[in-house]
């Protein structure tokens, strides 16, 4: 009911929504179901029943293999998302090193056959203000608005 036209009203066994204006609405008629998976059986299931597939790039050869399994599974025509975690062991993180790392992963993701890459900000030793600076530097390098 919340995805349909306003006003929305619903009364069910567990939930009740009084006459309301609900927004924002999802784009399209449904919210796509992306299924995260790492092993072959789960990846093939994602291809059969999901709208897309999400994996984590722990090793780029494994990531390419997972994407191939998804695409070869018949129904695996949906969006493939690769989550990346930039690692900076024992190195001082700068906006430049962050940007270089993300751009390298973006290239690897495209080469592996991903449709999207999501990056995880695993920058615990970096103050949030610096993380914003890093993201603004990345946006500038990609020609995106900051």
């Amino acid at each position: 009911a919340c995805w349909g036209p306003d006003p929305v009203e619903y009364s069910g066994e567990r939930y009740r929504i009084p006459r309301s204006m609900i927004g924002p609405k999802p784009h399209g008629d449904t919210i796509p179901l992306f299924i995260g998976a790492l092993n072959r059986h789960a990846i093939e299931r994602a291809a059969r029943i999901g709208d897309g597939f999400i994996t984590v790039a722990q090793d780029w050869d494994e990531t390419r293999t997972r994407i191939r399994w998804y695409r070869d599974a018949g129904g695996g025509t949906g969006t493939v998302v690769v989550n990346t975690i930039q690692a900076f062991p024992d190195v001082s993180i700068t906006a430049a090193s962050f940007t270089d790392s993300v751009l390298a992963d973006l290239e690897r993701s495209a080469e592996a056959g991903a449709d999207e890459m999501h990056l995880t900000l695993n920058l615990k030793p970096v103050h949030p203000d610096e993380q914003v600076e890093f993201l603004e530097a990345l946006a500038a390098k990609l020609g995106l608005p900051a």
Side-chain angles (χ1 to χ4, degrees), residues 2-3 7 12 17 32-33 35-37 44 49 51 53 58 63 82 88-89 91 94 96-97 103 113 115 121 131-132:
C2 292
W3 296 351
I17 301 172
L33 174 64
I35 298 174
E44 289 172 348
I49 67 173
D51 297 310
F53 158 62
Q58 298 165 319
T63 301
V82 173
F88 300 95
V91 177
T94 65
S97 63
L103 292 176
D115 299 302
L121 289 177
Q131 292 185 31
V132 170

Side-chain angles (χ1 to χ4, degrees), residues 40 44 48 53 57 67 81-82 93 101-102 113 116 119 129 137 146:
R40 188 173 192 154
E44 289 172 348
R48 283 192 316 274
F53 158 62
I67 292 171
V81 176
V82 173
I93 306 168
S101 178
V102 171
E116 295 181 18
L119 61 109
D129 290 340

